[in-house]
Amino acid sequence: MSILTVDDIHTYYGQSHVLHGVSLDIESGESVALLGRNGAGKTTTLRSILGMTPPREGEITFKGEPIDGLEPYQIARRGIGIVPEERRVFPELTVGDNIDVVMDDDGEWSKDRVYDVFPALREHQDQLGGQLSGGQQQMLTIARALVTDPDLLLLDEPSEGLAPNIVADLKSLLSDVLDTGITVLLTEQNTEFAFDLAERAYILSKGDVAWRGDIETLQESDDVIGKYLSVG
Ligand code: ATP
C-alpha cells in the first residue's frame, strides 16, 4: 500500500522553477533513496513534501489524504518526521532532555528503545547536546525524529560531513532502525551509503526524475551511475 504519493509537483523559489514534475510513490515499510548530484532538487523535494516550500502545481498524498496546502506543523503531526541536513539539537540541553522535549509518550519509540539502538546516546545521556561529536549529534537528531513516532521518516543527507568510520557506524545503526519496518525516504550524495540501506531509488536530475528502479539494478548500471551520480 502506498504511504506517500508525490504526483507531478512543480516547486519554485520565487521566480526560479526548481522541480519540473517530480513524481514518487513510496510503499509502507520501504526504504527508498532519492539520489542525484548537487543541486538536482533532492532537498527541495523533501521541503515540498514537508510543506516548507509548497509546490505550485501537482499533488501530494500521505496515508490516503492530500496534504497539499497544510502547514509544516500539521504535516509533521500527520506522521512525517525529518532529519534535516543541518543537525538539529538543543546545545544547552542534555541528551536526555533533547529527547524528552519532542517525545510522543504514546508512541512506539520509548527512550529506552532509542538508547538500545544508539548506545552512545545512553552513555552520554547527561551530557549537553552541544558537547557531542558530529556523529553523536547526528544520532541524537535521528533519535529525536524517531521518538515523535513518525509513519514516514525523511533523512536529508545523513552521512554528510561525517568521518568515514563514523559514516560506517551510522550506516549500521540506521540499518537496525530500518529493520524495525519504518518507512524511510533518504537523500544522499554518498551513493555507497544509499546502496547499502535502500531497496529502491529515484534519481533526480535538473529537478525531474531521470531514473527509478531497484538498488540492485542500479548497482549494475554503470551507465546510469556515470551519467547521473558520479562526481566530476
Ligand atoms: P544539495 O546536495 O546541494 O542539497 P539538492 O539536490 O538537494 O542538492 P536542492 O537543494 O533541492 O538540490 O536545490 C535545487 C536547486 O534549487 C538548485 O539549483 C539550488 O541552487 C536551488 N535552490 C535551493 N534552495 C534555494 C533557495 N532558497 N532559493 C533559490 N534557489 C534555491
Side-chain angles (χ1 to χ4, degrees):
M1 199 189 75
S2 285
I3 188 165
L4 178 81
T5 309
V6 173
D7 186 16
D8 202 16
I9 58 166
H10 290 256
T11 303
Y12 296 69
Y13 291 107
Q15 297 289 313
S16 171
H17 190 172
V18 172
L19 297 187
H20 299 262
V22 169
S23 296
L24 312 170
D25 191 33
I26 297 175
E27 306 256 309
S28 197
E30 271 193 308
S31 56
V32 177
L34 191 57
L35 306 174
R37 289 203 174 92
N38 225 321
K42 303 180 295 294
T43 300
T44 306
T45 302
L46 298 190
R47 291 180 58 87
S48 301
I49 295 168
L50 292 161
M52 294 160 73
T53 311
R56 284 199 204 155
E57 284 175 55
E59 201 172 56
I60 303 179
T61 310
F62 181 60
K63 294 194 287 190
E65 287 177 26
I67 54 169
D68 317 274
L70 296 183
E71 294 294 326
Y73 79 90
Q74 296 172 308
I75 292 173
R77 243 183 237 169
R78 297 252 177 136
I80 302 185
I82 173 74
V83 175
E85 209 167 350
E86 67 292 350
R87 284 151 211 146
R88 213 180 276 166
V89 306
F90 291 117
E92 305 295 338
L93 293 184
T94 63
V95 167
D97 287 347
N98 259 283
I99 293 172
D100 284 339
V101 289
V102 289
M103 180 102 194
D104 172 357
D105 291 325
D106 300 323
E108 286 182 25
W109 286 87
S110 66
K111 205 172 185 179
D112 263 335
R113 189 169 174 211
V114 292
Y115 282 163
D116 286 345
V117 176
F118 301 106
L121 296 183
R122 176 176 277 130
E123 212 175 293
H124 295 97
Q125 57 183 299
D126 297 322
Q127 216 168 313
L128 297 182
Q131 294 172 338
L132 300 178
S133 69
Q136 290 163 348
Q137 287 195 6
Q138 183 63 291
M139 288 169 204
L140 181 54
T141 310
I142 296 168
R144 281 165 51 87
L146 287 174
V147 298
T148 65
D149 205 30
D151 297 309
L152 169 66
L153 183 62
L154 309 179
L155 294 139
D156 198 2
E157 305 211 13
S159 76
E160 202 193 21
L162 301 177
N165 59 326
I166 308 294
V167 170
D169 286 350
L170 184 69
K171 193 160 68 180
S172 132
L173 295 168
L174 267 181
S175 158
D176 292 344
V177 172
L178 293 178
D179 285 345
T180 67
I182 193 168
T183 313
V184 162
L185 176 63
L186 87 150
T187 78
E188 265 302 336
Q189 299 265 359
N190 180 339
T191 44
E192 285 305 319
F193 190 86
F195 285 173
D196 288 348
L197 287 175
E199 300 154 55
R200 228 156 45 78
Y202 288 85
I203 299 178
L204 294 183
S205 173
K206 299 186 181 126
D208 203 354
V209 176
W211 188 93
R212 54 179 288 180
D214 294 334
I215 287 290
E216 284 171 19
T217 310
L218 179 57
Q219 279 175 308
E220 290 161 9
S221 305
D222 291 343
D223 52 336
V224 176
I225 294 173
K227 192 163 175 195
Y228 299 114
L229 300 178
S230 309
V231 181

